[in-house]
């Protein structure tokens, strides 16, 4: 059923006049209007529905009769699910459209528990600038590194520092926004800083979430972004209701429902979250089915992980030659896991999985939302960790990636067997990596790729229990064809007088068991 969409837009008061539903269309179910918020019908879908309503012509059938299920009911239900998913993805823009000239303000904690390890202020500012430049028509016109001892206080900076910073910002000409390089600022803090500085203020969470929203291609990725956005909507809701309370409108009950405005909007957000999780669960089951089909075909899976913009997609394209892999020089260009088939020196086929890039200080709700996508890493046979060795914060990036991988509770054997690939080695003349299971490559120039393929093959052989066997098969039977389909055939030596062939194959234990069962000696 159509559910009411409550408002998440600030500002407008609740209408005092009761609204009447429009007359139902012939042949369609009656749609109930549950409540109306300040944004009017059409903003956030809420409770009141899901079941089938009475027929529009009022006919309900005689007592004891049941409606016969029409043949198209399954398709209709699927269409309703699709419509509901599309509705869940509708939301207001997080950032203003058009050209934006941005001042980046970075709070620099020089000591104490708030100081981030393994980094420096200029590197953090460079990453903040890269985030801004990822947005179309956004540019950084000024950067400020401002010392603070207490970044967790409400206004981030001390009173004197804030006054001086306000003078500097108000003295800038032509800026339209400030990017405050902290993970989150509360709506009340945002409002206060905007009043002081005279321009819009955005935090790291909002900017990263907007980039995620722009780069999400599949429905699953877009739903995950919508799920990650809910904490922001809840935070804004508290601020909106506080403002309504000041006007005397926040705690009133609406339409005799027994619920206050705040309670209605909280309930609708909760219902939206449940619907998103339900839709994600449906998509996850489909993905798991595809994964089971892939595993039945017995292709080894290599998950390629790394910090955002480290060159994962470029490396996969170099290893596979797959034109579908389209690398882009920007942060979070990949939000959807994609699969690409490649061949190893033994002619064994493997599937390379391109995954979402990681980021230091990535908001927790974003990590939680995309954990379902990263579940594919758990089922891989090998992890390849790609690092950009030309980046000054390479060690911090490595720590961020490893921390995220550990949060997935991966098997210890999978983490221990991980290969570390030092990419962009062409930018470091004479560079030589140190340590076991570490290789230097240049994905862009194709340097070191054959050595990497050999190392991947060796690791896959150990991880999957594959073995090299020479089998004697009859030329007249289906064995040779079966081996070509189910194993990696390396060499065939035909003995025509005996009517047999000696076939050298790389084969998994499960495939070898099937072979012996189908073709007993």
């Amino acid at each position: 059923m159509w559910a009411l969409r409550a408002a998440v837009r600030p500002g407008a008061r609740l209408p005092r006049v009761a609204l009447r539903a429009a007359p139902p269309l012939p042949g369609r179910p009656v749609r109930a209007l549950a409540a109306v918020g300040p944004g009017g019908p059409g903003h956030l879908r809420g409770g009141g529905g899901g079941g089938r309503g009475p027929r529009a012509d009022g006919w309900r059938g005689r007592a004891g009769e049941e409606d016969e299920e029409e043949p198209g009911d399954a398709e209709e239900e699927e269409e309703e699910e699709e419509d509901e998913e599309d509705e869940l993805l509708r939301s207001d823009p997080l950032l203003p459209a058009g050209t934006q000239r941005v001042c980046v303000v970075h709070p620099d904690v020089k000591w104490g528990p708030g100081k981030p390890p393994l980094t420096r202020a200029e590197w953090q500012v460079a990453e903040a600038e890269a985030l801004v430049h990822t947005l179309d028509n956004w540019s950084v016109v000024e950067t400020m590194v401002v010392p603070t001892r207490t970044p967790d206080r409400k206004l981030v900076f001390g009173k004197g520092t804030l006054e001086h910073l306000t003078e500097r910002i108000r003295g800038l000409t032509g800026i339209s926004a400030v990017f405050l390089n902290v993970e989150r600022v509360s709506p009340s803090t945002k409002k206060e800083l905007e009043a002081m500085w005279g321009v819009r203020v955005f935090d790291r969470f909002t900017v990263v979430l907007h980039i995620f929203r722009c780069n999400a291609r599949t429905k699953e990725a877009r739903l995950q972004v919508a799920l990650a956005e809910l904490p922001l909507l809840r935070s804004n809701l508290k601020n909106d209701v506080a403002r309504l309370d000041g006007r005397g409108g926040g705690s009133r009950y609406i339409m005799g429902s027994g619920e206050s405005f705040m309670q209605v909007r909280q309930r609708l957000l909760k219902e939206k979250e449940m619907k998103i999780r339900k839709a994600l669960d449906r998509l996850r089951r489909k993905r798991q089915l595809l994964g089971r089909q892939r595993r039945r075909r017995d292709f080894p899976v290599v998950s390629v992980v790394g910090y955002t913009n480290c060159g994962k997609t470029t490396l996969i394209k170099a290893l596979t030659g797959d034109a579908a892999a389209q690398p882009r020089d920007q942060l979070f260009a990949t939000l959807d896991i994609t699969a690409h088939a490649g061949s190893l020196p033994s002619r064994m086929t493997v599937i390379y999985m391109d995954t979402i890039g990681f980021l230091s200080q990535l908001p927790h709700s974003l990590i939680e939302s995309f954990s379902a996508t990263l579940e594919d890493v758990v089922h891989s046979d090998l992890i390849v960790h790609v690092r950009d060795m030309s980046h000054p914060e390479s060690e911090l990036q490595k720590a961020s990636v490893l921390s995220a991988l550990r949060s997935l509770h991966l098997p210890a054997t999978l983490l221990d067997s991980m290969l570390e690939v030092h990419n962009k080695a062409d930018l470091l003349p004479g560079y030589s990596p140190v340590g076991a299971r570490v290789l230097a490559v240049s994905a862009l120039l194709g340097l070191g790729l054959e050595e990497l393929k050999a190392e991947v093959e060796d690791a896959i052989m150990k991880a999957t229990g594959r073995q090299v066997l020479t089998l004697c098969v009859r030329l007249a039977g289906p064995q040779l064809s079966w081996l070509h389909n189910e194993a990696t055939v390396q060499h065939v030596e035909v003995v025509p007088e005996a009517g047999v062939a000696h076939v050298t194959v790389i084969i998994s234990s499960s495939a070898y068991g099937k072979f012996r069962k189908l073709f007993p000696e």
Side-chain angles (χ1 to χ4, degrees), residues 57-101:
D57 57 9
W59 185 87
R60 291 176 178 272
R62 293 186 296 274
E65 278 192 358
E66 294 182 2
D67 292 339
E68 292 183 9
E69 189 172 340
E70 297 179 6
D73 273 358
E75 290 82 354
E76 206 173 292
E77 187 176 341
E78 195 170 321
E79 284 179 13
E80 286 179 4
E81 288 178 354
E82 291 275 340
D83 291 342
E84 184 180 82
E85 289 169 9
D86 290 337
E87 182 60 36
L88 291 170
L89 295 172
R90 294 178 189 168
S91 54
D92 291 334
L94 293 168
L95 299 177
T99 302
Q100 299 294 325
R101 293 166 56 82

Side-chain angles (χ1 to χ4, degrees), residues 95-135:
L95 299 177
T99 302
Q100 299 294 325
R101 293 166 56 82
V102 181
C103 171
V104 173
V105 175
H106 174 70
D108 182 24
V109 184
K110 294 189 178 295
W111 60 83
K115 178 176 173 58
L118 303 173
T119 188
R120 291 161 57 182
E122 57 264 36
W123 297 340
Q124 292 177 289
V125 169
E127 185 169 273
E129 289 185 73
L131 284 170
V132 173
H133 289 145
T134 301
L135 302 169

Side-chain angles (χ1 to χ4, degrees), residues 144-314:
M144 299 180 185
V145 178
V146 185
T148 180
R149 296 182 182 179
T150 51
D152 295 329
R153 70 167 60 191
K154 182 182 178 184
L155 295 178
V156 185
F157 307 100
K159 184 178 178 182
T161 303
L162 186 59
E163 288 175 355
H164 179 63
L165 176 60
T166 300
E167 288 179 12
R168 291 180 64 190
I169 292 175
R170 284 194 167 272
L172 295 173
T173 56
I175 70 163
S176 57
V178 168
F179 175 26
L180 187 58
N181 193 27
V182 297
E183 183 176 323
R184 288 287 298 272
V185 293
S186 68
S188 59
T189 298
K190 182 178 185 294
K191 181 182 176 183
E192 209 167 327
L193 291 176
E194 287 177 345
M196 295 173 67
W197 295 344
V199 292
R200 301 281 298 273
V201 175
F202 303 104
D203 55 23
R204 195 176 177 91
F205 177 82
T206 307
V207 171
V208 171
L209 188 60
H210 183 80
I211 294 170
F212 272 38
R213 190 193 277 183
C214 292
N215 287 345
R217 299 288 181 265
T218 65
K219 184 166 286 186
E220 183 173 24
R222 290 163 63 205
L223 283 167
Q224 286 169 327
V225 172
L227 184 63
E229 192 178 339
L230 290 177
L232 185 63
L233 295 179
R234 289 195 174 98
S235 180
N236 291 338
L237 173 60
K238 293 176 183 176
N239 193 51
D240 297 344
V241 171
R243 186 170 62 252
L244 283 172
D245 281 338
R247 300 176 184 173
S251 58
R252 294 180 183 177
Y253 294 106
I254 358 175
M255 296 184 185
S257 65
E259 291 181 295
S260 69
F261 177 65
M262 174 75 161
Q263 289 170 330
V264 168
R265 293 173 74 181
Q266 283 179 330
R267 172 171 59 79
L268 295 177
L269 281 174
K270 182 66 176 175
E271 289 173 359
K272 181 175 183 178
E273 179 180 357
M274 291 171 63
K275 289 178 181 178
I276 291 175
R277 292 190 183 278
K278 184 179 177 182
L280 281 171
D281 194 51
R282 284 196 300 267
L283 293 172
R284 188 178 299 123
R285 286 197 296 269
K286 291 179 183 177
R287 193 178 69 246
Q288 288 171 346
L289 176 62
L290 293 173
R292 284 195 296 271
Q293 291 171 348
R294 187 172 60 238
R295 285 191 290 276
R296 275 201 297 269
R297 296 199 65 182
D298 221 18
F299 289 135
V301 176
V302 179
S303 289
V304 182
V305 304
Y307 204 80
T308 183
N309 209 30
C310 68
K312 299 185 303 297
T313 306
T314 304

